[in-house]
Amino acid sequence: MKTIVKTWICSLVLVVLYRALKVLVKYDSRVREDFGSFDDGFAVRIFLSDKGRSITFSKENGRLVRASEKCHADVAITFKSIDAAFLVFTGFMGISKAYAEHRFVLCGDIGQTMTLVRMIDIAESYLFPYIMTKRILREVPKKQMSSLRVYALTFLGA
């Protein structure tokens, strides 16, 4: 598959992941609790590759918001290649396995990153079919609302 297509797909998944996390911060108690552990101003940046696109979001006044690419990121995840990002964002590989295989570089506090990964794992349990989720996560988190509702709120606005 061409790099341009992979980049486009990964960019789309990044936006959907951000919007799903925004929904889950409001409606899933586990994500809300994990998100609450971050200080206001806590920012995350995820790069698709060192030359690729990125998304930055932060906690501002207790809400998850899109942040400027220029803001300081407390946690930065940079995938080493678009192929590595594609495997993770399309559900062929879990973020934990990608970390173990050195497919991305992590800058920031590992404890905060583990909290973020837990939030992403919960989001994946809503966004991916059970068969995919079972393959990439050690334990599939129980859903507190339907995936259909999460999709609706993600795409129609939370």
Side-chain angles (χ1 to χ4, degrees), residues 87-105:
L87 288 172
V88 171
F89 289 121
T90 55
F92 288 101
M93 178 181 291
I95 191 83
S96 300
K97 184 174 181 185
Y99 180 73
E101 293 182 3
H102 307 286
R103 292 182 181 264
F104 63 85
V105 175

Side-chain angles (χ1 to χ4, degrees), residues 10-146:
C10 290
S11 297
L12 178 65
V13 172
L14 268 179
V15 171
V16 170
L17 176 63
Y18 159 71
R19 292 186 65 149
L21 284 172
K22 194 170 177 173
V23 167
L24 293 172
V25 163
K26 288 183 181 178
Y27 297 104
D28 188 288
S29 63
R30 299 159 301 178
V31 175
R32 185 177 28 232
E33 183 180 333
D34 283 343
F35 184 69
S37 72
F38 298 136
D39 294 332
D40 258 1
F42 175 80
V44 174
R45 183 172 297 124
I46 302 173
F47 292 95
L48 293 180
S49 70
D50 58 355
K51 298 179 190 99
R53 297 182 180 166
S54 67
I55 190 166
T56 305
F57 51 89
S58 66
K59 181 179 181 181
E60 299 297 332
N61 298 321
R63 294 179 36 230
L64 181 66
V65 297
R66 193 95 181 251
S68 165
E69 298 296 321
K70 296 177 183 177
C71 85
H72 166 75
D74 297 290
V75 171
I77 297 171
T78 306
F79 285 90
K80 291 184 176 179
S81 70
I82 196 64
D83 293 323
F86 185 78
L87 288 172
V88 171
F89 289 121
T90 55
F92 288 101
M93 178 181 291
I95 191 83
S96 300
K97 184 174 181 185
Y99 180 73
E101 293 182 3
H102 307 286
R103 292 182 181 264
F104 63 85
V105 175
L106 170 66
C107 294
D109 183 279
I110 191 75
Q112 291 176 322
T113 305
M114 290 173 68
T115 301
L116 175 67
V117 167
R118 192 170 41 249
M119 292 169 56
I120 291 171
D121 286 350
I122 293 169
E124 286 176 344
S125 75
Y126 286 101
L127 298 174
F128 290 141
Y130 179 78
I131 290 174
M132 286 176 73
T133 309
K134 191 171 84 172
R135 187 168 31 106
I136 61 176
L137 300 178
R138 276 184 274 152
E139 185 178 322
V140 178
K142 187 166 173 53
K143 296 178 184 179
Q144 294 183 357
M145 58 193 290
S146 74

